Amino acid sequence: MMLKLYFVGFLIKSLLTIGIETQPAHGSLKPRNVQFQSRNFHNVLRWQPGSFLTSNGSVYFVQYKMYGQRQWKNKTDCWGTTALFCDLTNETLDLYEPYYGRVMTARAGSYSAWSMTPRFTPWWETKLDPPAVTTVPVNGSLLVLLRAPELPYRNRKGNNTSTENYYNLVYRVFLIDNLVEKEQKAYEGTQRTVQIEGLTPRSGYCIVAEIYRPMLGRKSPRSERRCVQIP
């Protein structure tokens, strides 16, 4: 009888030990830092492998849904992917609606719990690139042409869509005198064509520009310098 009780006690202790040891292993599979990264409404879900893991040998399963929906939807192109990202641009086309994404890891026959993003609203959270800048030197002046970033998809008519369709954009243009490397704001407004006058002939100037979204209080990075010689 004593031998039987000893064996049962040993078995229970062994099972408890196994449970304690395997729980961290399964927890380490769970993807970390699952979040949307959005630039010009190109919305990509990104994550990192679970703790103490590399991406080698792991596959991932991605689902998404709009806020308020009960059912999650599988992202077919990212169902069993080995990548650490998933493009959900076409699944998040309603730019004013909030979305969620989530990721699960599978490795060596084990599966992690789902790891979910915070709420993501493209219109609120996307980052804008700087405007494209074209400069045309004219006698004593400089014509600056600005173009807002385009969206990664077309409208129903098949035309490219600009971020101007979704924001009231303000353009800021800065003039740099190459002789003294002095910068000044030459323009701030909504016009995409800017004429900067009163420049010194046969002198060099550079232009940089940025986009400002007043409603959100955010600005883009600055564009690369566009340098010209005034005739």
Side-chain angles (χ1 to χ4, degrees):
M1 183 66 179
M2 292 297 296
L3 181 61
K4 183 177 180 180
L5 290 174
Y6 175 82
F7 176 77
V8 172
F10 175 79
L11 181 61
I12 293 173
K13 183 179 180 180
S14 299
L15 290 173
L16 290 175
T17 302
I18 292 172
I20 292 172
E21 289 178 351
T22 57
Q23 186 175 0
H26 286 287
S28 69
L29 290 176
K30 189 176 180 180
R32 297 174 298 132
N33 301 325
V34 181
Q35 58 185 320
F36 279 95
Q37 293 184 2
S38 178
R39 184 170 295 277
N40 305 325
F41 296 122
H42 186 194
N43 307 323
V44 179
L45 187 66
R46 296 185 182 275
W47 60 90
Q48 295 176 345
S51 23
F52 308 115
L53 288 180
T54 65
S55 58
N56 296 334
S58 300
V59 294
Y60 302 94
F61 302 88
V62 175
Q63 292 183 329
Y64 65 94
K65 70 174 182 176
M66 187 184 292
Y67 175 75
Q69 294 177 339
R70 299 184 64 181
Q71 297 295 324
W72 289 88
K73 299 177 182 178
N74 298 340
K75 172 60 175 175
T76 305
D77 294 344
C78 303
W79 198 252
T81 181
T82 57
L84 295 175
F85 65 91
C86 179
D87 192 334
L88 291 176
T89 299
N90 291 330
E91 288 70 31
T92 52
L93 292 177
D94 196 332
L95 307 181
Y96 301 101
E97 291 290 339
Y99 296 89
Y100 292 99
R102 67 180 187 177
V103 185
M104 178 177 65
T105 307
R107 184 185 179 94
S110 297
Y111 294 85
S112 74
W114 290 98
S115 186
M116 190 173 71
T117 66
R119 186 184 300 185
F120 166 72
T121 305
W123 183 87
W124 178 260
E125 298 187 48
T126 198
K127 297 179 180 179
L128 296 187
D129 285 336
V133 179
T134 303
T135 54
V136 182
V138 188
N139 290 335
S141 66
L142 182 61
L143 187 65
V144 181
L145 308 176
L146 305 165
R147 188 177 75 250
E150 294 180 347
L151 275 61
Y153 42 82
R154 299 175 183 269
N155 59 23
R156 293 179 179 178
K157 296 182 179 180
N159 299 323
N160 290 332
T161 306
S162 170
T163 47
E164 286 187 331
N165 294 82
Y166 297 94
Y167 299 104
N168 294 321
L169 300 182
V170 172
Y171 296 97
R172 292 171 173 170
V173 178
F174 301 88
L175 179 71
I176 303 167
D177 187 330
N178 290 344
L179 184 62
V180 294
E181 276 293 318
K182 182 180 180 180
E183 176 185 296
Q184 62 178 345
K185 184 186 291 185
Y187 174 78
E188 180 170 346
T190 59
Q191 299 298 317
R192 289 178 293 172
T193 302
V194 180
Q195 184 94 19
I196 302 175
E197 300 180 337
L199 303 181
T200 305
R202 294 178 295 281
S203 297
Y205 295 89
C206 292
I207 292 290
V208 294
E210 66 185 23
I211 291 174
Y212 178 65
R213 290 177 283 177
M215 186 174 294
L216 302 181
R218 300 175 190 167
K219 62 183 180 179
S220 72
R222 287 190 172 187
S223 65
E224 295 182 0
R225 286 191 178 194
R226 292 290 183 265
C227 299
V228 297
Q229 189 80 10
I230 302 300

